[in-house]
Amino acid sequence: MTAEGRAGKRGGRLRRLLGRSGTGGPGEDLAAEPAAAPCTRIGDCASASAGRPVVRVTGTLREVRERTVAGMPALEARLDDGSACLDVVWLGRGAIAGVEPGRSMVASGRITVTGGKPVLFNPRYQLQPRGQE
């Protein structure tokens, strides 16, 4: 089997395990774009983790730092919308262009509670243009 064939096969298996095609098709579990649904206040969605629905939140990044999780790099940011704060963590990423304190962002995904704090792991996100914060 060629390297290209193996890569395609692995990608298909990963998509099946995650239950998402990444194409925005009918089987898509998450919204195709963060702008597809209305935003929820972080204070409202942090306590409603029962069933872990997909939420869309918006706010300003207050802190951004790199850390290590299980020996892998992770980028952690604190998103604040005025009602509460939410930790947003991208696993396997040491930095993301444009993700910096003071920047506005829309993020969507499933919130989990880790260490008593709400966390959004590997969300879909959209940075807002500068000057529209």
Side-chain angles (χ1 to χ4, degrees), residues 10-104:
R10 280 194 305 266
R13 185 177 315 140
L14 180 60
R15 282 191 295 270
R16 283 192 303 277
L17 286 172
L18 294 175
R20 298 184 267 149
S21 64
T23 61
E28 188 73 24
D29 193 27
L30 297 174
E33 290 293 322
C39 287
T40 303
R41 289 172 16 121
I42 293 173
D44 294 340
C45 64
S47 61
S49 61
R52 294 187 52 213
V54 174
V55 296
R56 181 175 174 258
V57 294
T58 186
T60 303
L61 296 172
R62 297 294 177 208
E63 299 173 36
V64 178
R65 67 183 182 108
E66 184 180 349
R67 66 182 189 129
T68 304
V69 176
M72 299 289 293
L75 184 66
E76 180 178 69
R78 180 156 300 217
L79 187 66
D80 181 5
D81 72 351
S83 69
C85 290
L86 172 69
D87 286 338
V88 181
V89 179
W90 290 272
L91 300 171
R93 305 288 300 267
I96 298 174
V99 174
E100 56 196 31
R103 192 76 186 262
S104 290

